[in-house]
Amino acid sequence: MKINLTKNLITINQFIKKSLGEWKSIRSTHSLAFQEVENSKSQITIKDIEINNTKVVELLKKYDLKQTPSVIAISISWKAISDWEEEEKSQEDQTILLFLPRDQKTGIVLRNKGYTESVISSSEYFIDENENLNLKTIYNSTVSEERICFLSTHIRSRYSVIRNQENNAIIQTSHTSEIRNISILKD
C-alpha cells in the first residue's frame, strides 16, 4: 500500500477565489526613514472581472499582450481613513490586477497602478508551502515584497517590506489584518 504524504497545496485560482468579497482592514505602517507610524482602517472589495472587460483589455494592450483563458482578472477597490495627518481624511481608489500563471503556483501579476509607487507595474508571485501568496515588485526606485496569508476562512493577514532599490535599505514595513464582511454572504 502506497501512502501519499504530499499535501494538496492551494493554487492561485483557489487563493483568489478565497479572497473575493468585502473586507474590513486594519493596517499599521512603519515608516523607518521618518520614524513614524501610520494606522489606517479600510473597506476593501475584491471582485473577479471578465477578461473582456474594457479595463482588462486596456491593461493587456499596455503590456502588448493578448487575452487568453489563463488570465485571471480582479478588481480591488478601497476606501481608507488614516491617522497620518491631524485631520483624518477618507481616500478611495481602485486597481486592476491580472494574474498570468506560469503554473498553478507561480506567475506574474500586472497592475494598472502599483502598491508602492502609483505607476503601472508587474510583480512576480508564488504560493509557498504554507499556502501564502508572495509578491515581489520592482518599481522605479523601490522594491516591494508582500506576503498574504489566510489565518482562517474569513481572516487574512498581509505583511509588506519596501526597500530602496539603490542600497537595499528598508524604508517601510506594514502589517494588515483583514476581516471578511460575512453579513453580506449569500446562503
Side-chain angles (χ1 to χ4, degrees):
M1 180 166 111
K2 186 177 179 181
I3 299 174
N4 184 0
L5 298 178
T6 59
K7 186 177 177 184
N8 292 328
L9 296 175
I10 193 168
T11 66
I12 190 61
N13 289 359
Q14 293 167 328
F15 191 94
I16 291 170
K17 190 169 187 139
K18 282 177 68 171
S19 297
L20 299 176
E22 290 186 15
W23 300 84
K24 180 179 180 180
S25 168
I26 303 166
R27 179 178 173 149
S28 179
T29 302
H30 302 236
S31 174
L32 304 178
F34 299 108
Q35 297 184 6
E36 295 285 337
V37 175
E38 174 190 15
N39 293 302
S40 60
K41 296 179 183 176
S42 304
Q43 291 297 124
I44 300 170
T45 302
I46 304 173
K47 295 193 259 185
D48 57 350
I49 52 179
E50 298 293 324
I51 60 170
N52 60 358
N53 179 292
T54 307
K55 292 178 180 179
V56 172
V57 172
E58 288 172 6
L59 187 54
L60 286 169
K61 281 183 184 176
K62 286 181 182 179
Y63 282 97
D64 200 26
L65 297 171
K66 295 183 182 344
Q67 295 170 320
T68 65
S70 64
V71 173
I72 305 162
I74 63 171
S75 165
I76 301 177
S77 58
W78 62 92
K79 183 176 183 178
I81 297 175
S82 169
D83 69 358
W84 187 254
E85 298 177 17
E86 284 184 34
E87 187 177 314
E88 290 185 354
K89 293 182 182 176
S90 177
Q91 296 179 349
E92 294 181 50
D93 210 345
Q94 178 185 36
T95 189
I96 304 295
L97 279 72
L98 306 181
F99 288 80
L100 289 80
R102 283 192 198 100
D103 54 43
Q104 293 186 346
K105 307 254 185 266
T106 67
I108 296 172
V109 180
L110 307 178
R111 304 174 198 227
N112 67 330
K113 190 180 307 165
Y115 165 74
T116 302
E117 297 177 30
S118 192
V119 295
I120 187 170
S121 63
S122 64
S123 306
E124 293 282 331
Y125 77 82
F126 72 93
I127 297 178
D128 63 27
E129 65 279 354
N130 294 316
E131 301 184 347
N132 301 319
L133 176 61
N134 296 270
L135 300 155
K136 182 174 184 177
T137 310
I138 300 174
Y139 292 100
N140 296 327
S141 60
T142 59
V143 175
S144 171
E145 296 177 49
E146 185 174 11
R147 185 176 70 229
I148 306 168
C149 58
F150 280 89
L151 303 177
S152 71
T153 303
H154 302 297
I155 300 175
R156 292 185 354 153
S157 187
R158 290 190 295 137
Y159 305 91
S160 69
V161 174
I162 299 170
R163 298 175 189 273
N164 179 305
Q165 197 177 107
E166 189 176 307
N167 61 13
N168 207 31
I170 297 174
I171 300 169
Q172 179 179 295
T173 63
S174 69
H175 174 257
T176 307
S177 296
E178 299 172 341
I179 304 162
R180 188 187 311 272
N181 182 354
I182 58 175
S183 66
I184 64 164
L185 294 178
K186 297 177 183 175
D187 294 327

